């Protein structure tokens, strides 16, 4: 990992501390009370609200907006947290432009939706700032549940289970909780240590303990957990990374985008983080956008995203694509990596133009070279190691929709590691919550 920093064009302090602070400030500034009231006034409080149907956690959006409008931000926050205990993070990271705000009737009629995400942040931030936790535990049931992985899915499941009175132990392989909220989400979406603060707030429910540096394959097996607990919930995310299959992939300067982003998210001083002069990111999803935008914000001179299909096929939303373009990132479509060139360290990348025939991408033989002293691979994450005995479906743990039950009795799964659903924070939260409800029903007969 560290070797990539030794490549010639990769160095820290391309920008001053003031420039970095400015670049990594909150992407959307929070609303003040007046702005929130004005935004809430635009809502029509639709019956059968389409925004609510589009929300994977089914938050009662018209209800919480009405509560904000009436000046009851705490009630609004409770309405949100009832459905989505990570409503604070989701307000910051949800691609609302493809979810609730895309279908808002004011978007459809006027091209300007009610700013649901920012209103959600207004309400949840108010309550969290007071340190108030709106739920308490039911009487203890005497049942114990093991949750593996402390990302959004695991935290959501743990909270719901604890609320129902079960004792929950979360096993987390990393030394910190939060999963990709802590190690993956772009720094300008989750500022001021919000991910860690949110976990601390969530744990106020009680009944949840977290054991770090432990998990399946990290000192424990699935059968250990089946033996020791009444139920097991797997929320281990996707920690494996696909390879480029391009010549020279092992050269210094070539790195997984998720490792770079994790390092960036954990850096105490972003001016000390090395970045290349000419950065090329391979991929077309959120990870590619985040790696490219953050490289630019760190001071890389030229940043290019190279994607093998056309714009419409990109996993990143149009908003994310425009965000990258507005920060000076160049987007290249219909190209795939062929070779990374340079003596020891990457200097250039050779890309081949592509065409899509019968839905499959193939090279045209025409190539182009782009200067690249740093190359990030953002071509998708995979399940690193499926726990023993579980059925797999499309590279993920096969689960029943709505309940999260796996092929093994007593074992549930949710979030990115499980089949079905988009790989989004809000989907992980919904799946963790729903699996917890099913675990509760199953444990209590
Ligand atoms: C760079 C990047 C940017 C993203 N940006 C956005 C965004 O802006 N908006 C959005 O909605 N979504 C975004 N996503 C997707 C979102 O982060 C994920 O969908 C979400 O975090 C999935 O939650 P999860 O709990 O399933 O998994 P994770 O968040 O991956 O958490 C899994 C946890 O399990 C732990 N773990 C793994 N294996 C084991 C094991 N064997 N034993 C114990 N613990 C283990 C991991 O350390 C981790 O803490 C992004 C993803 C990436 C990679
Ligand atoms: S669709 Fe838009 S206007 Fe209607 S309830 Fe939802 S936010 Fe309000």
């Amino acid at each position: 990992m560290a070797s990539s920093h030794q490549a010639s064009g990769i160095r820290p302090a391309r920008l001053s501390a003031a420039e970095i602070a400015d670049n990594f400030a909150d992407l959307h500034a929070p609303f003040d009370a007046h702005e929130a009231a004005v935004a809430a006034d635009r809502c029509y409080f639709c019956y059968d609200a389409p925004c609510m149907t589009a929300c994977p956690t089914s938050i009662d959006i018209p209800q919480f907006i009405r509560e904000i409008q009436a000046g009851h931000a705490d009630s609004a926050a409770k309405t949100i947290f009832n459905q989505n205990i990570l409503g604070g993070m989701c307000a910051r990271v949800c691609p609302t432009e493809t979810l609730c705000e895309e279908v808002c009737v004011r978007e459809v009629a006027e091209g300007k939706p009610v700013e649901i995400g920012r209103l959600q942040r207004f309400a949840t931030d108010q309550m969290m700032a007071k340190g108030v936790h709106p739920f308490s535990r039911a009487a203890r049931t005497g049942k114990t549940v093991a949750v593996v992985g402390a990302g959004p899915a695991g935290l959501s499941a743990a909270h719901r289970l604890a609320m129902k009175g079960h004792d929950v132990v979360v096993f987390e392989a990393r030394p910190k909780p939060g999963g990709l909220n802590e190690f993956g989400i772009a720094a300008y979406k989750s500022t001021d240590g919000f991910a860690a603060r949110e976990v601390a707030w969530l744990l106020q429910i009680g009944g949840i303990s977290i054991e770090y540096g432990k998990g399946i394959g990290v000192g424990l097996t699935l059968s250990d957990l089946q033996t020791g607990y009444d139920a097991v919930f797997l929320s281990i995310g996707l920690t494996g990374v696909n390879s480029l299959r391009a010549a020279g992939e092992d050269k210094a300067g070539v790195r997984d985008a998720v490792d770079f982003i994790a390092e960036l998210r954990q850096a105490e001083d972003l001016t000390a983080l090395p970045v290349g002069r000419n950065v090329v990111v391979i991929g077309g999803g959120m990870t590619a956008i985040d790696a490219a935008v953050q490289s630019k914000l760190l001071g890389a001179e030229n940043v290019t995203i190279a994607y093998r299909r056309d714009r419409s096929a990109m996993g990143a939303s149009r908003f994310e694509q425009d965000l990258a373009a507005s920060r000076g990132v160049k987007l290249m479509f219909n190209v795939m990596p062929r070779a990374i060139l340079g003596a020891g360290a990457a200097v250039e990348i050779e890309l081949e133009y592509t065409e899509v025939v019968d839905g499959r991408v193939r090279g045209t033989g025409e190539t182009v070279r782009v200067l690249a002293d740093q190359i990030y691979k953002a071509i998708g994450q995979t399940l690193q190691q499926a726990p023993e005995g579980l059925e797999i479906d499309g590279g993920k743990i096969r689960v029943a929709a709505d309940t999260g039950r796996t092929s093994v009795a007593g074992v549930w799964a949710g979030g990115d590691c499980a089949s079905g659903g988009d790989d989004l924070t809000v989907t992980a939260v919904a799946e963790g919550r729903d699996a917890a409800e099913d675990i509760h029903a199953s444990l209590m007969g």
Side-chain angles (χ1 to χ4, degrees), residues 11-207:
R11 65 170 182 82
R14 287 192 176 275
L15 298 178
S16 68
E19 286 168 312
I20 291 273
D22 198 33
N23 283 354
F24 283 89
D26 233 327
L27 182 60
H28 301 292
F31 275 150
D32 62 27
H34 175 68
E35 290 166 326
V38 172
D41 264 345
R42 292 190 65 238
C43 182
Y44 291 149
F45 310 114
C46 308
Y47 179 72
D48 264 350
C51 54
M52 186 172 162
T53 315
C55 172
T57 52
S58 308
I59 291 172
D60 192 337
I61 293 168
Q63 170 75 15
F64 93 69
I65 296 181
R66 194 184 288 280
E67 286 163 332
I68 292 177
Q69 197 196 36
H72 304 307
D74 281 354
S75 314
K78 191 161 182 192
T79 301
I80 294 161
F81 291 134
N82 254 327
Q83 292 296 107
N84 180 339
I85 197 63
L86 297 183
M89 182 58 83
C90 289
R92 290 161 165 77
V93 308
C94 259
T96 50
E97 66 280 1
T98 60
L99 297 170
C100 55
E101 292 181 14
E102 182 180 43
V103 297
C104 171
V105 296
R106 296 211 67 157
E107 165 67 22
V108 177
E110 299 159 38
K112 189 175 183 316
V114 174
E115 290 180 89
I116 303 167
R118 292 177 82 186
L119 284 167
Q120 177 165 320
R121 175 165 173 187
F122 173 77
T124 51
D125 277 5
Q126 299 251 324
M127 179 178 274
M128 290 173 76
K130 292 182 205 153
V132 173
H133 191 91
F135 305 108
S136 50
R137 290 188 79 189
R140 286 180 69 186
T141 60
K143 304 284 184 190
T144 58
V145 183
V147 170
V148 189
L155 291 168
S156 165
H159 184 274
R160 187 57 63 113
L161 287 162
M163 215 166 98
K164 301 274 184 196
H166 309 299
D167 288 330
V168 184
V169 181
V170 182
F171 295 97
E172 169 52 55
R174 295 222 199 213
K176 276 185 178 180
L180 289 169
N181 284 357
E182 175 64 45
F183 292 93
I185 296 292
Y188 46 80
K189 292 186 187 170
S190 171
T191 54
D192 301 326
F194 181 76
R197 282 191 281 126
E198 186 177 47
V199 177
W201 172 86
L202 177 147
L203 293 176
Q204 285 179 31
I205 185 77

Side-chain angles (χ1 to χ4, degrees), residues 332-357:
M332 284 179 80
F333 299 103
N334 296 107
V335 284
M336 64 184 183
R338 268 282 152 254
I340 290 141
L341 310 163
V347 176
E348 253 187 341
I349 183 165
E350 184 174 274
L351 302 165
E352 181 178 2
Y353 286 99
T354 64
E355 58 187 2
V356 178
V357 178

Side-chain angles (χ1 to χ4, degrees), residues 24 26-27 86 88-95 151-152 174 178-191 194-196 198 257-258 260-266 270 286-287 289-291 293-294 320 381 416 423-426 428-429:
F24 283 89
D26 233 327
L27 182 60
L86 297 183
M89 182 58 83
C90 289
R92 290 161 165 77
V93 308
C94 259
R174 295 222 199 213
L180 289 169
N181 284 357
E182 175 64 45
F183 292 93
I185 296 292
Y188 46 80
K189 292 186 187 170
S190 171
T191 54
F194 181 76
E198 186 177 47
V258 283
F260 159 64
I261 293 168
E263 188 180 345
L264 187 151
R265 285 294 310 276
Q266 298 305 304
L270 286 179
M286 269 185 190
T287 306
I289 299 277
D290 288 357
V293 170
Q294 292 180 108
E320 302 267 345
Q381 284 98 255
D416 285 1
D423 289 350
L424 291 175
T425 311
V426 66
V429 173

